[in-house]
Amino acid sequence: MDISREVRNLGLGHAEAAAERYRRSTAEREEVRRRQDQGDAFPDAPEQLASRAARLIQRSGVPVEAVMEATRTEHLDRPAFHERVLGVSKELQAYSFLPRGARAARTVARVLLCENGRLLPIGTGFLVSPRLLMTNHHVLPDARAAAQAMAEFDAQVTVDNVPDTATRCHLEPETFFIADAGLDFALVQVGPCDDGRPPGERFGWNALSADRGKLVIGEPVNIIGHPSGRLKEIAIRDNRLEVRLDDFLQYRTDTEPGSSGSPVFNDQWEVTALHHSGVPRTDEQGRILRRDGQVWREGDGDDAVDWISNEGVRISSILRRLAALRLDDARLALLAEMGVETRICDGHPSPPSGGPAGQTATPRAAMPATTAATTAAATPAAGAPQGTGAAPHPATATSPEFSPATAPVRRPSGRPARPGAFGGTRHLVFLHGRGQERHDPERLRRAWTAGLNTGLTRAGLATIEPADVWFPFYGDRLTQAVRPREAAARSLEEIAADPASAAAPPTPSARDLYENLITQAAVRAGMPAERLAPAETLGAPPIILHRALSWLAAATALDGLSIALIFADVAAYLDDRQVRESVLAAVMETLPASGRVLLVTHSLGTVVAMDLLTRLNPALDVEMLATVGSPLGLDGVYRRLLIGGPERPARVAHWLNVWCPADPVTIGCPLADDWRGELTEISVTNPVDGAHDIAEYLAHPEVAHAIGARLLPALAASLR
């Protein structure tokens, strides 16, 4: 059978299955419509509304100022508050909505099949990592079909309404291919572009998340694809989620069957589902009906079908299925490039000493056979039970309270490097920042390594393996030291009304330092001095702090709450000796004893590293200190360091500081304005929504080259 006919038949089977699920969900859909008729804009469960509102506020999906304006005039109970937040999000979109949508659109490609000398459009796909494309199983049912297909990017019209110049990339299923018939998804590696770069470096990719809170019933969805093989089109906002099933979402859109494999976005351009089928109207015998009410026959064409809804596969279900697979190190490293929020690498052991984790260019000799086995393993047996929804990540618990989790906190320890890494004489140490409590250090080590490997590849250097990196972990220790001193839990209402106060440390001295850091950063970011003097009618210090935090949020790429939390933990660390000693003790547990170390640090970790230099074993030479996304330029920080300052520590041979102008934590940079001594600084441009992200920083080739050239002995020797 021709592959194109096989694709069509598989798609028809999924349409029939979608129609049956639609029929079975009639009661849920009728209840949703009844509640909507009664004025309930978001007829979803209270816990779903709470999770969604929390995600919107925490990720700047809705401006805090807009929430304040919408909720301050009347008393609202918690459900009403959540609904008001969602209402603001639905009706009010920031300017960034359109450019972020345009950025997301570039990740979407038309899937073409080369058959009998012709190129046939068979569906849509979208990038989920620098090298991996996601589409439907019924679009690419097996490696044989994928080997005959290619992804065509920028198949669209320009702003001048003329055809754009498209770029075609061949697929490489012999290196990576996974397909699942039950959840109708396929994941395949895409070959490099004509300039030799991975396609994600040119067109971007979508960071998937297994976390809940991305969409509630009644919210709009946006779909970008190639309906019926045409140039790229978009169905935007005039569509609503109707029903949420265990593994599927049902929604009304204008998409056509040819949009199979398209990403389904929320209004923040997060992928919530993989579009896979229209839902046709059927009769009592389950036969598909035409628009004129007659039974549809093959040959009538898809346009004759009476499509009544659409269905997508939940991204959380796909990520759970991927996380359950047993994969070799090379493919696990490729999946790790999708990012930490996928949770795919949770629970996977470190790669064995001979494994090529982090090196993705060369497949193993037996890869084709292994790929076939993985495809079979990923395809569920008939009647296999389906999932019941994504489990919330511990760090984003479903409770709307801004408080410590009530569940017991597990105590993961840091990860040492395997013996002999980098010849046994050099050591690479990653030191993380705040907000990592209850995270898996192994997953974090893989994420940092994936970011650095992206930069090393761009710089033309060899990649490294996660197992060769030392990864001290103090996330839980910091939380346990700080949180008992914090005030009572705060609700979303309080956070939205005053994020600066909600995040503030409770002790007077730590709070004073916290306020100093925020106001100093705001002044350095250009806030006029007169804004620091409150009006006589207001006259309270919280007003100044709120103004400073709002200025920082407007001047940079982070939301106010995220900025406040970072500075709050920096202040708590610097102010409280017990907190400082607890963190340093946790870091000291996972460090090499001797040799030459390259210490790559991020955010709060840069502050910890400066103190750590006073405790390191004298037998350990610091070849390089890399401070990334650092607040060390603020005098409120460097005046409280154990090393004193601001002067480059004598035991550091080379100091590299990397900063981004859009990162509010680096407002005090460049450091050379305040710090004395030899110092190399690199300014980079990170994406708007990843200005402070460590993986984004490390992915810059100039940053990765500065680290890699001193890490690898042969290259390091050439620098002397």
Side-chain angles (χ1 to χ4, degrees), residues 125-487:
F126 57 100
L127 291 170
V128 295
S129 84
R131 310 169 220 275
L132 296 181
L133 181 98
M134 181 174 287
T135 186
N136 291 134
H137 165 271
H138 79 259
V139 172
L140 297 177
D142 51 39
R144 175 181 62 95
Q148 295 180 233
M150 61 179 62
E152 186 180 40
F153 296 92
D154 284 347
Q156 59 202 23
V157 293
T158 68
V159 293
D160 297 318
N161 214 33
V162 296
D164 204 345
T165 301
T167 298
R168 293 173 179 171
C169 300
H170 289 279
L171 305 185
E172 299 180 343
E174 69 279 5
T175 302
F176 189 101
F177 181 82
I178 292 174
D180 186 296
L183 292 181
D184 194 21
F185 76 87
L187 201 59
V188 63
Q189 177 159 310
V190 185
C193 301
D194 49 14
D195 58 4
R197 291 187 296 166
E201 293 184 13
R202 181 166 174 179
F203 302 104
W205 68 88
N206 300 280
L208 304 184
S209 175
D211 291 342
R212 63 188 299 176
K214 296 188 289 293
L215 196 66
V216 296
I217 294 172
E219 269 198 287
V221 296
N222 307 301
I223 300 179
I224 303 175
H226 293 273
S228 299
R230 298 193 298 269
L231 295 180
K232 190 180 298 174
E233 297 178 10
I234 180 170
I236 185 171
R237 302 211 80 232
D238 191 21
N239 321 291
R240 295 289 182 269
L241 176 63
E242 292 184 313
V243 174
R244 181 192 303 104
L245 305 176
D246 287 347
D247 292 322
F248 300 92
L249 301 179
Q250 294 176 349
Y251 41 86
R252 286 190 176 274
T253 74
D254 295 329
T255 54
E256 299 178 19
S259 294
S260 293
S262 299
V264 181
F265 297 100
N266 61 16
D267 273 348
Q268 289 69 53
W269 299 102
E270 297 176 298
V271 181
T272 64
L274 167 66
H275 181 75
H276 83 128
S277 180
V279 179
R281 190 181 303 279
T282 57
D283 61 15
E284 294 180 355
Q285 288 77 45
R287 296 176 298 182
I288 297 175
L289 298 178
R290 300 188 316 202
R291 293 179 179 178
D292 60 7
Q294 300 298 311
V295 175
W296 180 86
R297 305 291 183 188
E298 187 171 356
D300 288 343
D302 293 335
D303 291 342
V305 175
D306 187 7
W307 302 103
I308 55 176
S309 188
N310 279 282
E311 186 178 79
V313 188
R314 296 178 64 173
I315 285 297
S316 56
S317 296
I318 293 174
L319 295 178
R320 281 200 311 276
R321 186 63 56 85
L322 289 171
L325 298 177
R326 298 181 62 86
L327 302 175
D328 57 66
D329 300 334
R331 282 181 292 172
L332 192 59
L334 276 170
L335 288 180
E337 291 185 349
M338 293 170 63
V340 296
E341 286 197 28
T342 62
R343 314 285 179 249
I344 288 174
C345 293
D346 287 7
H348 284 278
S350 299
S353 58
Q359 300 178 4
T360 59
T362 306
R364 295 181 175 180
M367 187 63 75
T370 308
T371 301
T374 303
T375 302
T379 304
Q386 307 251 328
T388 57
H393 186 261
T396 53
T398 58
S399 168
E401 308 302 327
F402 177 65
S403 63
T406 56
V409 177
R410 55 190 174 93
R411 296 292 297 274
S413 59
R415 294 294 186 266
R418 61 186 176 185
F422 307 114
T425 59
R426 277 182 171 81
H427 311 283
L428 178 59
V429 178
F430 290 155
L431 190 56
H432 65 82
R434 69 159 303 278
Q436 306 305 317
E437 61 271 14
R438 298 181 301 277
H439 284 203
D440 180 3
E442 177 58 31
R443 188 193 71 201
L444 294 174
R445 178 166 69 168
R446 288 179 179 275
W448 279 55
T449 305
L452 180 58
N453 279 343
T454 299
L456 290 172
T457 301
R458 291 173 172 174
L461 299 180
T463 55
I464 65 174
E465 301 184 25
D468 287 342
V469 178
W470 294 80
F471 197 92
F473 182 75
Y474 64 87
D476 288 347
R477 203 77 61 88
L478 174 66
T479 301
Q480 291 165 359
V482 171
R483 296 299 180 256
R485 295 165 172 76
E486 288 189 344

